Amino acid sequence: MTTTAIHSAAHRAAHPERLLEPDWAEITAITPETEDISTFWLRFDGAAVQERYRYQPGQFNMLYLPGYGEAAISISSDPHNPQRLVGHTIRFVGNVTRAISRLKAGDRLGMRGPFGVPWPMHAIEGKDVVIASGGIGLAPLRPAIYHILHNRERYSKVILVYGARTPRDLLYSNEYDSWRKADIDVQITVDRADETWSGRVGVVPMWFYHFRVDPRKTALLTCGPEIMIRFVVFEALARRIPTDQIYVSLERNMKCGQGACGHCQLGPYFICKDGPVFPFSALERYFNVEEF
Amino acid sequence: MSDSIKPSVAVYKFSSCDGCQLSLLNLEDDLLDLAGAVDIAYFLEATRAVKPGPYEVAMVEGSVTTPHEAERIRQIRSEARFLIALGTCATAGGIQALRNFGNADELARMVYPHPEYLEYLDKSTAIAEHVKVDLEIWGCPVNKHLVLECTAALLQKRKPNLPQYTLCMECKLRGTTCVTVAQGMPCLGPAVQAGCGAICPANGRGCYGCFGPVAYANTESLTTTLRALDRYAGETALLLRNISGYAPAFRKAAETLFSAEVTSHKDPQ
Amino acid sequence: MIERHLAIDSAVSLPKNELDAVLSDLRQHGYQTVGPRLKDEGLVYAGIETLDDLPRGVISEQAAGTFRLVQAGQERYFDIIPGGQSWKQFLFPPRVTLFTARKNGHWRIESDGEPAPRYALIGVRACELAAIEIQDRAFMRADYCDPIYSARHRNLFIVAVNCLQPAGTCFCVSMGTGPRAERGYDLCLTELDDVFLVEIGSELGRSLLAKRSFEPASAFLQNAANQGLEQAAQQMGRRLDTSDLPDLLTKNLEAERWEQVGKRCLSCANCTLVCPTCFCWDTTDHTDLLGKITRRERVWDSCFNPSYSYVAGGNTRQAIRSRYRQWLTHKLGTWKEQYGTPGCVGCGRCITWCPAGIDLTEEIAALREEVKA
Ligand SMILES: Cc1cc2nc3c(=O)[nH]c(=O)nc-3n(C[C@H](O)[C@H](O)[C@H](O)COP(=O)(O)OP(=O)(O)OC[C@H]3O[C@@H](n4cnc5c(N)ncnc54)[C@H](O)[C@@H]3O)c2cc1C
Ligand code: SF4
Ligand code: SF4
Ligand code: SF4
Ligand code: SF4
């Protein structure tokens, strides 16, 4: 056995035998978001890896905690953030994510990535952009919002419709005002209100009943629970938004992130490499087939 | 590491043969590591020294067969934070659950000269039928490596690696030739939880299911296949009504077969 | 010796016992020679030293859900159609360590510096060569080159064997993959009664053969081999009409037939594990008691396993019907869109080794009937 220190991406490129090994990254800070969701800010151990690491809105990493395994986690930070920290907003649901929840700043995680097809930020320039998301589904869309903030003039109307179960489950609520200031129409809705809540109550797809979209010039980006995505797409189609202007980000069990382990297949697609973001036109054939 | 922060473990025996506790003792080298990592507070098979509860972990071997045991398991549960049912007696009633299919009183009269001195319950049942069980480790006996893995998982607060797939997976992973396909032997493998290492097929025998059914066992299709291979009448039914025979999936499948046999006897075609 | 006849792509006639010397030369070159061997009433691929280790005079009778070894009444070494194992175990091992990580303050990864094993595969059928080619497309892509698979692949030596006695579950002719090995070998044998007709496929193959006492392949021998292969092609135990694939599958995902086969299927995963092209895998971390050392392992997985399609809070393929549909639509449908070929070479393993005797050729035919009706 040869002990090798931290591997850099360049090192891996030179040594393809390391393709399935992670780089190590330090947790520089943890931002609690809700009761069971926090954002973990990571910086690679090797300065060179950190310097080279680039990602686009909608991509994800495989985060690894030895002994527990890997989890696919979207990047939720601003690709242009000055410290170049990579943010991951993680919901603690099971084995790996609960173990991550016990980590503290200064601890390390393995990280492979970035993987996947990003949101089509260039293709949708000039359009009205509707971002519809629910729950943790806002995490992969936040980098898209940041991108729009940096390039606001490239997009026409921008509307964010975001829903969570209760007001306490809303992500990033301290940022909504700054988004509104940048002329993003932020519509927040919850399934169940509490005494603090004076906003809208209802599910995300309901939004379509309150607003009018111009189908030809609207692009829809959506991510959230699959059931929400189904209804959002249903409403969007009913309003004649073309299928190639509807983009959805999907989730399936995932082990490698590189279209090799087979797990995330949906028909001909490997969601990890052909997605997770798809134009609905590519999915149409399979999306409504139960348990496909 | 000081004793005070090591989790305390208590090992109990109910109606069983001791085989599972022996698997623990058979851990040999690993047992030393284990003793270093946990505080074995109650394990009569291994040591007389007993520390008082409550305990972090209770490992329970054996099934509940007497009123006294039914009482005792409640007591143990109330003293344990995490309860593991160890072995198929504890997870499905074990081989002694075969008496569940007959009449306990009649059986007692057949076996014992003075059955009136016996105190027993009508049925031999799994621990989970009496109290909440946090983790079941199947097997007759349990696979000691799985016990070790579950302990490691508990210590590290992670999910244990207990396979959820069928025994056929294990046959194929180790390269064993299927005894059903190549020798026409009935084997329950396609409906059985992996974990034993597919020992029986590797030794030229069909699996009799001591690791219990997988959650998605298709016993209906399997019995159709296996009955065509029966080397004597009722072989498949008896395979099902074995060590895990009282596990609901196998119980139901065997009942269907037995009632079919009875009808076909009464009404020969 | 007649060196000049020994060009790549030429054929010679080799006395059978000369193959022993080829095997021993291969070992001299650092190869482990593996080939078909009888074990536990089945046929496995394991280490072989000489021809004596081969199942001489034995063939396999195969049907849906059954495999039987039978004495054939002849003395040939390679007439037996393989069993449940395939060569994929040598390139894509059932279990393999990815790395070991140790925690000493921080985690450090230790890669095992072991060089990849060098296998000489002896007796690879045409369908099996095609299967290796299909797996190559999954494991050695421009955007993903699997380190373990590719290292082992680089080290392969392949002695192919042309099939003269197909089994009852074979349908390579339908898939266009056999019974003749066309490419992808170092040497290819056709076993005639007294000699092997050997075709040379590579420089290493040529140089190994050059040391043996061979004769030029006469037209008579070549003719005998061709006739044998033609006959074999006529004797396929099964056939599969592929004309309407993959659409037949991808356009009929809600057919009634899926329900029916879902009732029979045990979700036991045997078909996927015996299939020489299935490439799916899972990863597992094995730790010591206190979690200071972790060995990360890659293990064969299958779309029939519940953890395969598990997501926190549910399973995207809960019903056995959905899992069977995934398998068949992948093999004969969506695979083509992914990798440009079907995922099936017609080897028949999944038919033979399905304990419930489910036969994919029958399923396709039944689906077609249903759609027509
Ligand atoms: C492209 C992509 C992006 C994602 N982004 C985020 C994110 O930004 N934030 C977040 O909190 N979650 C995200 N998820 C979901 C996250 O991957 C799962 O919640 C996580 O894998 C659960 O792992 P676990 O071990 O804690 O749970 P367990 O229930 O113990 O799961 C065991 C294993 O099953 C697999 N698994 C379980 N659920 C999922 C799932 N939903 N998706 C994929 N694999 C799963 C994993 O391999 C996991 O290790 C994303 C998933 C995908 C596919
Ligand atoms: S021997 Fe039994 S467990 Fe093994 S593959 Fe055959 S049916 Fe499955
Ligand atoms: S699908 Fe069946 S017949 Fe086709 S290659 Fe795989 S095992 Fe062979
Ligand atoms: S059939 Fe199933 S196991 Fe085989 S490659 Fe396809 S998804 Fe993987
Ligand atoms: S098709 Fe046959 S081998 Fe495959 S999972 Fe179903 S029962 Fe098992």
Side-chain angles (χ1 to χ4, degrees):
Chain A
M1 287 228 177
T2 53
T3 305
T4 28
I6 301 129
H7 304 309
S8 68
H11 184 82
R12 272 214 314 270
H15 298 268
E17 71 275 14
R18 306 253 150 76
L19 214 52
L20 294 163
E21 292 177 17
D23 289 307
W24 298 108
E26 183 185 337
I27 301 174
T28 60
I30 302 171
T31 315
E33 306 283 358
T34 73
E35 202 175 318
D36 60 350
I37 302 177
S38 293
T39 299
F40 292 74
W41 298 92
L42 299 181
R43 189 200 298 116
F44 285 103
D45 279 358
V49 192
Q50 175 69 21
E51 194 41 50
R52 213 176 306 104
Y53 187 86
R54 293 277 190 286
Y55 59 90
Q56 296 177 60
Q59 289 193 298
F60 67 95
N61 287 313
M62 298 299 292
L63 296 187
Y64 175 54
L65 198 53
Y68 301 83
E70 284 185 324
I73 304 292
S74 307
I75 305 170
S76 66
S77 50
D78 183 351
H80 304 293
N81 98 41
Q83 296 126 352
R84 315 205 25 134
L85 296 179
V86 192
H88 299 83
T89 303
I90 305 178
R91 192 153 71 98
F92 312 131
V93 294
N95 192 37
V96 178
T97 51
R98 289 210 184 103
I100 291 177
S101 78
R102 296 190 291 267
L103 298 180
K104 298 183 197 56
D107 287 339
R108 276 172 174 73
L109 274 170
M111 180 146 106
R112 294 191 294 124
F115 297 122
V117 173
W119 298 108
M121 300 317 292
H122 295 297
I124 63 173
E125 283 178 6
K127 293 216 157 59
D128 289 349
V129 181
V130 177
I131 298 174
S133 78
I136 189 81
L138 188 55
L141 280 161
R142 187 166 69 163
I145 295 172
Y146 289 140
H147 179 89
I148 292 173
L149 293 180
H150 291 304
N151 305 281
R152 183 64 189 86
E153 69 290 351
R154 296 194 203 161
Y155 304 90
S156 183
K157 273 193 275 180
V158 179
I159 302 146
L160 165 67
V161 192
Y162 175 52
R165 271 170 306 170
T166 73
R168 293 150 55 99
D169 295 313
L170 288 168
L171 285 181
Y172 317 134
S173 45
N174 59 349
E175 294 183 56
Y176 303 159
D177 279 344
S178 66
W179 297 350
R180 286 191 176 111
K181 270 188 208 128
D183 192 23
I184 295 180
D185 180 1
V186 180
Q187 300 284 337
I188 307 293
T189 171
V190 297
D191 297 354
R192 269 179 292 116
D194 61 15
E195 59 285 356
T196 66
W197 187 249
S198 55
R200 201 185 289 277
V201 177
V203 294
V204 169
M206 288 296 291
W207 173 83
F208 285 92
Y209 292 92
H210 300 291
F211 296 85
R212 190 178 293 277
V213 293
D214 178 351
R216 281 158 312 150
K217 61 184 291 259
T218 298
L220 172 69
L221 313 182
T222 181
C223 181
E226 201 151 310
I227 182 81
M228 181 211 84
I229 296 181
R230 280 175 200 282
F231 281 104
V232 164
V233 169
F234 178 84
E235 298 298 344
L237 293 175
R239 279 155 191 78
R240 300 186 186 286
I241 299 180
T243 52
D244 57 359
Q245 279 168 224
I246 299 172
Y247 294 89
V248 302
S249 180
L250 293 181
E251 245 181 46
R252 284 288 182 279
N253 190 303
M254 231 169 242
K255 295 292 164 193
C256 70
Q258 305 181 76
C261 77
H263 284 244
C264 68
Q265 286 175 88
L266 176 72
Y269 307 120
F270 294 92
I271 286 182
C272 66
K273 81 171 169 71
D274 303 321
V277 176
F278 291 95
F280 187 70
S281 49
L283 295 176
E284 227 169 339
R285 231 165 125 182
Y286 307 107
F287 199 59
N288 283 321
V289 180
E290 198 197 339
E291 290 209 338
F292 196 60
Chain B
M1 208 188 263
S2 79
D3 266 26
S4 59
I5 61 162
K6 288 199 279 186
S8 54
V9 176
V11 185
Y12 300 97
K13 175 186 152 61
F14 280 65
S15 294
S16 61
C17 72
D18 282 5
C20 290
Q21 296 193 58
L22 282 178
S23 306
L24 291 184
L25 295 174
N26 279 343
L27 282 168
E28 292 161 3
D29 289 355
D30 293 326
L31 193 61
L32 287 179
D33 290 347
L34 194 64
V38 303
D39 178 16
I40 298 177
Y42 182 101
F43 189 2
L44 293 185
E45 195 84 9
T47 160
R48 289 287 183 92
V50 170
K51 293 182 194 160
Y55 309 110
E56 258 315 279
V57 182
M59 293 191 179
V60 181
E61 175 204 84
S63 67
V64 175
T65 59
T66 68
H68 170 67
E69 285 178 337
E71 197 39 54
R72 190 163 155 248
I73 190 62
R74 271 182 220 109
Q75 173 64 26
I76 290 170
R77 174 72 264 193
S78 71
E79 284 198 342
R81 198 185 64 78
F82 196 90
L83 190 145
I84 301 177
L86 198 67
T88 303
C89 294
T91 57
I95 195 74
Q96 61 273 24
L98 284 183
R99 72 174 168 81
N100 300 359
F101 300 108
N103 176 314
D105 292 331
E106 268 175 34
L107 279 173
R109 276 197 296 278
M110 279 160 60
V111 179
Y112 296 98
H114 289 286
E116 60 277 16
Y117 297 140
L118 293 176
E119 261 202 51
Y120 53 84
L121 294 169
D122 202 29
K123 302 228 181 311
S124 165
T125 46
I127 303 298
E129 296 205 16
H130 299 266
V131 295
K132 175 175 169 271
V133 171
D134 299 298
L135 180 68
E136 290 189 337
I137 308 180
W138 289 69
C140 181
V142 284
N143 175 341
K144 61 182 184 180
H145 301 294
L146 290 186
V147 179
L148 206 59
E149 162 58 15
C150 290
T151 315
L154 263 174
L155 287 168
Q156 298 161 34
K157 297 198 177 63
R158 61 169 172 81
K159 252 190 217 171
N161 294 321
L162 292 175
Q164 294 162 35
Y165 45 65
T166 64
L167 189 67
C168 300
M169 277 287 293
E170 272 187 330
C171 264
K172 291 295 176 284
L173 287 172
R174 64 182 283 175
T176 302
T177 296
C178 175
V179 299
T180 298
V181 171
Q183 300 183 57
M185 275 184 203
C187 173
L188 291 187
V192 171
Q193 190 91 28
C196 64
I199 311 169
C200 287
N203 286 288
R205 286 197 307 259
C207 161
Y208 52 86
C210 77
F211 269 60
V214 283
Y216 51 98
N218 184 350
T219 49
E220 214 172 300
S221 170
L222 183 63
T223 48
T224 310
T225 300
L226 296 190
R227 275 187 82 200
L229 303 174
D230 275 2
R231 290 164 294 189
Y232 50 88
E235 184 176 11
T236 297
L238 290 173
L239 213 52
L240 284 162
R241 191 162 278 186
N242 206 298
I243 289 169
S244 304
Y246 209 58
F250 290 167
R251 199 194 313 172
K252 222 176 104 223
E255 259 158 32
T256 316
L257 286 191
F258 276 118
S259 60
E261 304 268 322
V262 171
T263 354
S264 69
H265 275 296
K266 276 189 194 146
D267 182 18
Q269 313 220 322
Chain C
M1 260 190 244
I2 342 167
E3 270 283 351
R4 69 199 144 83
H5 283 286
L6 267 191
I8 291 180
D9 286 339
S10 69
V12 300
S13 149
L14 188 76
K16 288 194 179 174
N17 57 8
E18 282 289 294
L19 195 62
D20 278 347
V22 174
L23 294 182
S24 106
D25 272 4
L26 279 166
R27 284 192 296 277
Q28 290 277 306
H29 277 78
Y31 287 98
Q32 300 177 48
T33 42
V34 288
R37 291 192 84 139
L38 299 180
K39 185 169 185 262
D40 299 335
E41 307 296 318
L43 187 85
V44 300
Y45 289 145
I48 54 164
E49 296 271 305
T50 66
L51 287 176
D52 291 340
D53 294 328
L54 296 173
R56 188 176 201 186
V58 180
I59 59 165
S60 58
E61 280 181 4
Q62 306 195 28
T66 61
F67 176 97
R68 291 292 181 278
L69 296 174
V70 179
Q71 289 297 330
Q74 39 72 356
E75 294 292 286
R76 288 204 287 249
Y77 292 101
F78 286 108
D79 267 357
I80 191 164
I81 293 298
Q85 294 190 357
S86 74
W87 303 107
K88 85 173 170 187
Q89 63 188 310
F90 298 105
L91 293 167
F92 168 39
R95 298 177 184 280
V96 68
T97 298
L98 292 176
F99 56 78
T100 302
R102 256 171 230 278
K103 190 173 187 172
N104 191 353
H106 293 307
W107 286 101
R108 286 272 184 282
I109 285 181
E110 298 171 357
S111 316
D112 80 58
E114 302 261 320
R118 291 162 67 81
Y119 290 115
L121 313 181
I122 313 300
V124 182
R125 312 270 155 175
C127 64
E128 298 181 311
L129 284 171
I132 292 173
E133 231 176 74
I134 287 177
Q135 279 212 330
D136 289 353
R137 292 174 188 230
F139 282 113
M140 302 198 298
R141 309 186 317 245
D143 60 339
Y144 174 81
C145 184
D146 190 85
I148 294 160
Y149 186 97
S150 60
R152 287 165 173 248
H153 197 286
R154 270 194 299 279
N155 287 352
L156 278 187
F157 186 91
I158 294 181
V159 178
V161 162
N162 281 326
C163 279
L164 300 174
Q165 297 275 354
T169 49
C170 291
F171 58 103
C172 61
V173 168
S174 303
M175 302 315 292
T177 60
R180 182 197 286 275
E182 307 275 4
R183 56 174 185 271
Y185 53 77
D186 295 281
L187 293 173
C188 175
L189 314 177
T190 309
E191 187 173 12
L192 302 170
D193 281 338
D194 305 313
V195 293
F196 291 122
L197 182 73
V198 188
E199 288 157 89
I200 297 160
S202 74
E203 178 49 35
L204 183 54
R206 196 198 64 78
S207 70
L208 285 174
L209 211 60
K211 293 196 261 171
R212 308 274 57 94
S213 68
F214 56 84
E215 286 176 18
S218 64
F220 175 78
L221 285 180
Q222 305 234 24
N223 208 13
N226 288 340
Q227 269 181 8
L229 278 161
E230 250 163 59
Q231 230 170 36
Q234 305 296 321
Q235 286 169 7
M236 287 289 127
R238 295 271 195 292
R239 63 181 292 279
L240 180 75
D241 175 1
T242 59
S243 56
D244 49 1
L245 298 174
D247 282 3
L248 176 69
L249 288 159
T250 51
K251 294 201 168 139
N252 294 290
L253 297 170
E254 311 274 20
E256 174 59 26
R257 186 69 191 184
W258 300 119
E259 300 295 334
Q260 291 163 18
V261 68
K263 289 205 177 89
R264 287 178 69 204
C265 172
L266 308 161
S267 202
C268 64
N270 274 307
C271 47
T272 47
L273 302 190
V274 296
C275 178
T277 70
C278 274
F279 56 76
C280 288
W281 47 266
D282 194 5
T283 46
T284 319
D285 277 25
H286 300 275
T287 73
D288 66 337
L289 208 49
L290 295 177
K292 302 278 185 216
I293 307 170
T294 285
R295 188 172 61 81
R296 191 157 172 77
E297 188 179 62
R298 167 156 97 183
V299 198
W300 283 356
D301 201 355
S302 162
C303 52
F304 285 98
N305 291 335
S307 60
Y308 184 91
S309 42
Y310 166 85
V311 285
N315 193 315
T316 48
R317 290 186 206 101
Q318 190 66 44
I320 292 182
R321 146 200 180 274
S322 312
R323 300 184 196 163
Y324 187 88
R325 185 178 61 188
Q326 166 60 22
W327 139 266
L328 199 60
T329 50
H330 191 212
K331 291 273 96 164
L332 292 167
T334 55
W335 202 297
K336 181 119 189 204
E337 216 170 306
Q338 292 172 346
Y339 299 114
T341 68
C344 171
V345 297
C347 73
R349 282 183 177 82
C350 58
I351 307 172
T352 301
W353 299 96
C354 171
I358 296 172
D359 173 346
L360 80 174
T361 64
E362 197 180 307
E363 291 311 308
I364 292 290
L367 188 64
R368 187 175 293 124
E369 280 308 303
E370 181 187 333
V371 171
K372 256 196 238 154

